[in-house]
Amino acid sequence: MSNHTNQQVREQFDHVMVPNYAPSSMVPDRGLGSRVWDVEGKEYIDLTAGIAVCALGHCHPELVAALTQQANKFWHLSNVFTNEPAIELAETLCKLTFADRVFFANSGGEANEAALKLARKSASTNFSAEKCEIISFVNSFHGRTFFTVSVGGQAKYTEGFGPLPEGITHVEYNNIDALKAAISPRTCAVIMEPIMAEGGIITAQPEFVKAVRQLCDANEALLIFDEVQTGMGRTGDLYAYQGFAVTPDIMTSAKALGNGFPISAMLSTEKIAAAFAVGSHGSTYGGNPIACVVAKKAVEIISDPQTLQGVKNAREKILAGLEKINNQYNIFSEFRGLGLLIGCALTEQWQGKAKQFLNASIEEGLMLLMAGPDVIRIAPSLLISDEDIALGLERFSRAIDSVLKS
Ligand SMILES: *Cc1c(COP(=O)(O)O)cnc(C)c1O
């Protein structure tokens, strides 16, 4: 336990940090599995997993072992040298997905940056410089680098940062006709999240995903799946594209890939990847050996059919509990998403109030997320126990009760 109170540490935050974040009043001190303790020793059930990052919970012993073993060998040598942990992780990912080439980076935004750059490079190499248009979806989220934030479909994140990069078109999600009207031979890529996560947990309709694939093929455009949040078992498949049975040309993975150790990957086919010739793109830390050994172990555990089945079972338990809560309080209009990415959409009466429920949950010893102001997001460890689910829902019910009485 730290020598400081939650309030003392939280106040210090405002004195030393750039004011772009507004963190919770609770200051975490340590975590284990799906439980977290704050600096005052209070316990919480964690249904956030570090924003869908710690898919195997906090301090999973096999990940700790992989990390410490590599920490005693070497930490970093750069991409000037061949890196065996990176090769082994790439082999594992290629074996388990459509991909046959991998580029490693350190965050979701960077993996998407690489994907978008590869799509442009591939089009200019194989077609012409005019084939440069990128189509993405309104309300989508792809990261905060300048290119990815411009491709993302939320104007509030680009306001004040202009002039923005050109050649980007936004169309409505789950609207086949809108995409049909926008796509053309000038389009080099369509980028989409299988579930728009930050945009409110909106799941793509299966027929929409199939239509996107067909429209890309008809226009020789690449299909990029941003699986930064939906990947690594979150939906009950190792990657969500496998559940939709639609294969992208480029896919990105981050968040849970390293379970909290920063790493991301861009995956593609040999043919497309060829456009990234020597010197065309790079990253100092990309493929960091500690990150790679942790990620390889995480991929092995998550791709185990037992883990993936556990995701489906846990979803059913959580949804059953949420239905029960809603029968009593009637604050949710629907539950969305797939697997353990669950969006609880608030009814008309509670629009814009997600934060109130999050704050009340902290008081009750429960960590939750929002996906915009109208949706409470639940994204726990894929290994969460029945006991922790039950306890978490009990605390959620108490938190809702306190908001309704306030
Ligand atoms: C979180 C997220 C990103 C950005 O990842 P960072 O690691 O924050 O750069 C991109 N796309 C999706 C779908 C995400 O959920």
Side-chain angles (χ1 to χ4, degrees), residues 21 51-53 106-112 140-145 148 191-198 225-230 252 254-255 262-264 341 377:
Y21 302 118
I51 317 189
V53 166
N106 316 288
S107 66
E110 278 177 82
N112 285 331
S140 63
F141 183 80
H142 298 297
R144 305 293 197 125
T145 67
T148 59
I191 181 168
M192 69 178 285
E193 300 163 83
I195 300 174
M196 271 204 302
E198 302 303 314
F225 271 10
D226 176 348
E227 293 235 27
V228 168
Q229 191 151 168
T230 54
T252 55
K255 287 199 163 84
I263 180 170
S264 65
L341 185 54
R377 172 172 32 169

